[in-house]
């Protein structure tokens, strides 16, 4: 079955960096666009970034543009989110999610990983 | 950026009742709207995509309708396990992909 296993969350100081990983199994990872979405404590969902299946395009929310980078290693079936210059307002549960090859609804989600930015 | 406004913020109904959740877009999103269910402590789950298509494994009591700026998620006969927060999401005019603020459904 489709599985997205996330890792890399934790506590980091403001201005610090963290890299999140999302390892996929149970489907053809190379054929799927992938997203990162976050949810601050007690808040709603915020889309952050998208990487097309062939890495031809990547898009970011304004709130993270220039600080976060989405990437993938298809040989390892893994999606990454490199987060730099972290701020307290980046504190959230971060989800990876996949989309169909030619669409943008998010049809499977990872369990989430908590990132806390605090001094 | 397209803003999605969901109503009501909270809905409290009894098992067996019909639930109607609304999502209104600040401009037309054609039929490119999805609905998600999120239970406490869990990741969201896709229910409906392209306004009216049920995702794999979603019970038939969930249905979606609408186009343009006004959309509805209907749960025909509530079950206790339907207690959750429901989000709509658009992908017509992007980036960014945007979500509504959510409707909390409580089962009495």
């Amino acid at each position: 079955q489709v599985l997205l296993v996330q890792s890399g969350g934790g506590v980091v100081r403001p201005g610090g960096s963290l890299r999140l990983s999302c390892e996929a199994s149970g489907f053809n990872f190379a054929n799927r666009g992938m997203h990162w979405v976050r949810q601050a404590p007690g808040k709603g969902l915020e889309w952050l970034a998208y990487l097309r299946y062939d890495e031809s395009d990547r898009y970011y929310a304004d709130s993270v543009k220039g600080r976060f980078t989405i990437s993938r290693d298809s040989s390892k079936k893994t999606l990454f989110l490199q987060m730099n210059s972290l701020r307290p307002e980046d504190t959230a549960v971060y989800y990876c999610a996949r989309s169909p090859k030619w669409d943008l609804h998010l049809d499977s989600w990872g369990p989430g990983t908590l990132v806390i930015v605090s001094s | 950026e397209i803003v999605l406004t969901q109503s009501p913020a909270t809905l409290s109904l009894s098992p067996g009742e019909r639930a109607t959740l609304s999502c209104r877009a600040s401009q037309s999103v054609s039929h490119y709207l999805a609905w998600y269910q999120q239970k406490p402590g869990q990741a969201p789950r896709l229910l409906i995509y392209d306004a009216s298509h049920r995702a794999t494994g979603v019970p038939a009591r969930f249905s979606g309708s609408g186009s343009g700026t006004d959309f509805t998620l209907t749960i025909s006969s509530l079950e206790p396990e339907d207690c959750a927060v429901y989000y709509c999401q658009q992908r017509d005019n992007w980036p960014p992909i945007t979500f509504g603020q959510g409707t909390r459904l409580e089962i009495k």
Side-chain angles (χ1 to χ4, degrees):
Chain A
Q1 82 278 21
V2 173
L3 205 56
L4 296 170
V5 177
Q6 296 188 230
S7 60
V11 181
V12 61
R13 294 189 186 281
S17 297
L18 211 55
R19 188 174 84 154
L20 306 183
S21 299
C22 170
E23 185 173 355
S25 61
F27 65 99
N28 187 350
F29 181 73
N31 247 7
R32 295 297 191 123
M34 298 295 295
H35 304 257
W36 288 99
V37 175
R38 71 183 176 186
Q39 187 169 36
K43 303 296 184 182
L45 301 170
E46 179 188 15
W47 172 82
L48 298 179
Y50 170 73
L51 180 58
R52 205 176 291 279
Y53 73 98
D54 59 359
E55 301 189 65
S56 60
D57 288 300
R58 61 195 76 203
Y59 300 95
Y60 297 94
D62 286 347
S63 59
V64 303
K65 199 176 298 182
R67 300 189 300 126
F68 290 12
T69 302
I70 187 172
S71 63
R72 65 197 293 163
D73 183 338
S74 289
S75 67
K76 295 182 179 177
K77 299 184 179 181
T78 302
L79 178 75
F80 301 102
L81 185 67
Q82 178 66 43
M83 304 187 294
N84 298 331
S85 304
L86 283 162
R87 306 165 179 166
E89 56 265 34
D90 294 318
T91 294
V93 174
Y94 285 72
Y95 296 101
C96 62
R98 72 167 197 183
S99 279
K101 188 174 184 179
W102 301 114
D103 209 329
L104 288 167
H105 53 269
L106 287 70
D107 63 7
S108 287
W109 295 63
T113 189
L114 178 61
V115 173
I116 297 173
V117 184
S118 173
S119 54
Chain B
E1 172 176 325
I2 293 179
V3 176
L4 299 177
T5 302
Q6 294 186 237
S7 62
T10 304
L11 192 55
S12 183
L13 295 168
S14 300
E17 288 193 298
R18 181 185 191 90
T20 302
L21 287 67
S22 173
C23 177
R24 178 163 288 178
S26 58
Q27 63 190 75
S28 175
V29 297
S30 183
H31 61 281
Y32 298 121
L33 189 104
W35 290 94
Y36 301 85
Q37 176 193 63
Q38 187 178 32
K39 297 182 179 180
Q42 295 185 19
R45 170 198 179 196
L46 177 68
L47 295 176
I48 302 288
Y49 65 95
D50 289 352
S52 61
H53 292 84
R54 257 191 314 277
T56 303
V58 174
R61 65 180 182 274
F62 291 90
S63 63
S65 63
S67 65
T69 60
D70 290 297
F71 299 85
T72 300
L73 174 69
T74 301
I75 310 172
S76 59
S77 180
L78 283 168
E79 302 279 348
E81 61 263 30
D82 298 334
C83 179
V85 179
Y86 292 83
Y87 294 95
C88 56
Q89 171 240 324
Q90 70 81 25
R91 66 85 160 170
D92 182 48
N93 188 346
W94 77 288
I97 289 169
T98 53
F99 291 89
Q101 84 280 16
T103 289
R104 182 177 304 275
L105 176 60
E106 299 173 350
I107 310 297
K108 295 177 186 174

